[in-house]
Short mmCIF file of all heavy atoms in Angstrom, two decimals:
data_model
loop_
_atom_site.label_atom_id
_atom_site.label_comp_id
_atom_site.label_asym_id
_atom_site.label_seq_id
_atom_site.Cartn_x
_atom_site.Cartn_y
_atom_site.Cartn_z
N GLN A 146 -5.92 -13.15 -2.15
CA GLN A 146 -6.37 -14.25 -1.28
C GLN A 146 -7.14 -15.30 -2.08
O GLN A 146 -7.22 -16.45 -1.71
CB GLN A 146 -7.27 -13.70 -0.16
CG GLN A 146 -6.58 -12.71 0.77
CD GLN A 146 -7.57 -12.07 1.73
OE1 GLN A 146 -8.50 -11.38 1.32
NE2 GLN A 146 -7.38 -12.29 3.01
N ARG A 147 -7.79 -14.85 -3.14
CA ARG A 147 -8.55 -15.73 -4.02
C ARG A 147 -8.18 -15.31 -5.46
O ARG A 147 -7.36 -14.43 -5.64
CB ARG A 147 -10.06 -15.55 -3.79
CG ARG A 147 -10.49 -14.09 -3.87
CD ARG A 147 -11.92 -13.81 -4.14
NE ARG A 147 -11.96 -12.64 -5.03
CZ ARG A 147 -13.04 -12.17 -5.60
NH1 ARG A 147 -14.20 -12.73 -5.37
NH2 ARG A 147 -12.99 -11.12 -6.40
N GLY A 148 -8.77 -15.93 -6.45
CA GLY A 148 -8.49 -15.52 -7.82
C GLY A 148 -9.50 -14.50 -8.32
O GLY A 148 -10.53 -14.28 -7.70
N GLN A 149 -9.17 -13.88 -9.43
CA GLN A 149 -10.11 -12.96 -10.08
C GLN A 149 -9.83 -12.99 -11.57
O GLN A 149 -8.68 -12.72 -11.98
CB GLN A 149 -9.95 -11.54 -9.54
CG GLN A 149 -10.69 -10.46 -10.33
CD GLN A 149 -12.21 -10.67 -10.33
OE1 GLN A 149 -12.82 -10.89 -9.30
NE2 GLN A 149 -12.79 -10.62 -11.51
N ILE A 150 -10.82 -13.33 -12.36
CA ILE A 150 -10.62 -13.37 -13.83
C ILE A 150 -10.06 -12.03 -14.29
O ILE A 150 -10.56 -10.97 -13.91
CB ILE A 150 -11.96 -13.68 -14.53
CG1 ILE A 150 -12.31 -15.15 -14.29
CG2 ILE A 150 -11.88 -13.37 -16.02
CD1 ILE A 150 -13.69 -15.57 -14.81
N GLY A 151 -9.00 -12.09 -15.07
CA GLY A 151 -8.39 -10.88 -15.62
C GLY A 151 -7.23 -10.35 -14.79
O GLY A 151 -6.65 -9.33 -15.13
N GLN A 152 -6.89 -11.05 -13.69
CA GLN A 152 -5.86 -10.49 -12.80
C GLN A 152 -4.77 -11.51 -12.43
O GLN A 152 -4.32 -11.55 -11.28
CB GLN A 152 -6.51 -9.95 -11.52
CG GLN A 152 -7.35 -8.68 -11.77
CD GLN A 152 -7.52 -7.87 -10.50
OE1 GLN A 152 -7.98 -8.38 -9.49
NE2 GLN A 152 -7.15 -6.60 -10.55
N ALA A 153 -4.34 -12.32 -13.37
CA ALA A 153 -3.29 -13.29 -13.04
C ALA A 153 -2.04 -12.58 -12.52
O ALA A 153 -1.41 -13.04 -11.56
CB ALA A 153 -2.95 -14.13 -14.27
N ASN A 154 -1.70 -11.46 -13.15
CA ASN A 154 -0.52 -10.69 -12.73
C ASN A 154 -0.73 -10.09 -11.33
O ASN A 154 0.08 -10.23 -10.42
CB ASN A 154 -0.18 -9.62 -13.77
CG ASN A 154 -1.38 -8.81 -14.23
OD1 ASN A 154 -2.50 -8.94 -13.71
ND2 ASN A 154 -1.17 -7.94 -15.22
N TYR A 155 -1.87 -9.45 -11.15
CA TYR A 155 -2.18 -8.74 -9.90
C TYR A 155 -2.34 -9.75 -8.75
O TYR A 155 -1.80 -9.54 -7.65
CB TYR A 155 -3.47 -7.96 -10.13
CG TYR A 155 -3.90 -7.02 -9.05
CD1 TYR A 155 -3.43 -5.71 -9.01
CD2 TYR A 155 -4.83 -7.40 -8.08
CE1 TYR A 155 -3.87 -4.82 -8.03
CE2 TYR A 155 -5.28 -6.52 -7.11
CZ TYR A 155 -4.79 -5.23 -7.09
OH TYR A 155 -5.23 -4.35 -6.13
N SER A 156 -3.05 -10.85 -8.99
CA SER A 156 -3.24 -11.86 -7.94
C SER A 156 -1.91 -12.45 -7.52
O SER A 156 -1.67 -12.67 -6.32
CB SER A 156 -4.13 -13.00 -8.44
OG SER A 156 -5.41 -12.55 -8.72
N ALA A 157 -1.03 -12.70 -8.49
CA ALA A 157 0.28 -13.27 -8.17
C ALA A 157 1.08 -12.30 -7.30
O ALA A 157 1.68 -12.68 -6.29
CB ALA A 157 1.04 -13.58 -9.45
N ALA A 158 1.07 -11.03 -7.68
CA ALA A 158 1.83 -10.03 -6.90
C ALA A 158 1.25 -9.88 -5.50
O ALA A 158 1.98 -9.82 -4.51
CB ALA A 158 1.80 -8.68 -7.63
N LYS A 159 -0.07 -9.82 -5.41
CA LYS A 159 -0.71 -9.57 -4.11
C LYS A 159 -0.57 -10.77 -3.18
O LYS A 159 -0.40 -10.62 -1.97
CB LYS A 159 -2.17 -9.19 -4.30
CG LYS A 159 -2.38 -7.85 -5.02
CD LYS A 159 -1.78 -6.70 -4.22
CE LYS A 159 -2.21 -5.33 -4.74
NZ LYS A 159 -1.61 -4.22 -3.97
N ALA A 160 -0.63 -11.99 -3.74
CA ALA A 160 -0.39 -13.19 -2.92
C ALA A 160 1.08 -13.22 -2.49
O ALA A 160 1.39 -13.57 -1.35
CB ALA A 160 -0.74 -14.44 -3.71
N GLY A 161 1.96 -12.80 -3.38
CA GLY A 161 3.38 -12.76 -3.05
C GLY A 161 3.68 -11.81 -1.90
O GLY A 161 4.53 -12.08 -1.05
N MET A 162 2.95 -10.72 -1.84
CA MET A 162 3.16 -9.77 -0.73
C MET A 162 2.95 -10.44 0.60
O MET A 162 3.68 -10.22 1.55
CB MET A 162 2.16 -8.61 -0.83
CG MET A 162 2.45 -7.61 -1.91
SD MET A 162 1.11 -6.38 -2.00
CE MET A 162 1.86 -5.03 -1.10
N HIS A 163 1.92 -11.28 0.68
CA HIS A 163 1.66 -11.88 1.99
C HIS A 163 2.68 -12.98 2.31
O HIS A 163 3.03 -13.17 3.48
CB HIS A 163 0.22 -12.40 2.11
CG HIS A 163 -0.07 -12.84 3.51
ND1 HIS A 163 0.13 -12.00 4.61
CD2 HIS A 163 -0.47 -14.03 4.03
CE1 HIS A 163 -0.16 -12.66 5.72
NE2 HIS A 163 -0.52 -13.89 5.39
N GLY A 164 3.19 -13.66 1.31
CA GLY A 164 4.28 -14.60 1.56
C GLY A 164 5.47 -13.88 2.18
O GLY A 164 6.08 -14.34 3.15
N PHE A 165 5.76 -12.72 1.63
CA PHE A 165 6.84 -11.87 2.15
C PHE A 165 6.55 -11.48 3.60
O PHE A 165 7.41 -11.58 4.48
CB PHE A 165 6.95 -10.64 1.24
CG PHE A 165 7.85 -9.56 1.76
CD1 PHE A 165 9.22 -9.62 1.53
CD2 PHE A 165 7.34 -8.49 2.46
CE1 PHE A 165 10.05 -8.61 2.01
CE2 PHE A 165 8.17 -7.48 2.95
CZ PHE A 165 9.53 -7.55 2.71
#
Side-chain angles (χ1 to χ4, degrees):
Q146 298 172 298
R147 52 159 218 173
Q149 169 62 49
I150 287 174
Q152 290 203 305
N154 47 6
Y155 187 87
S156 296
K159 294 298 192 181
M162 285 175 100
H163 187 54
F165 170 84

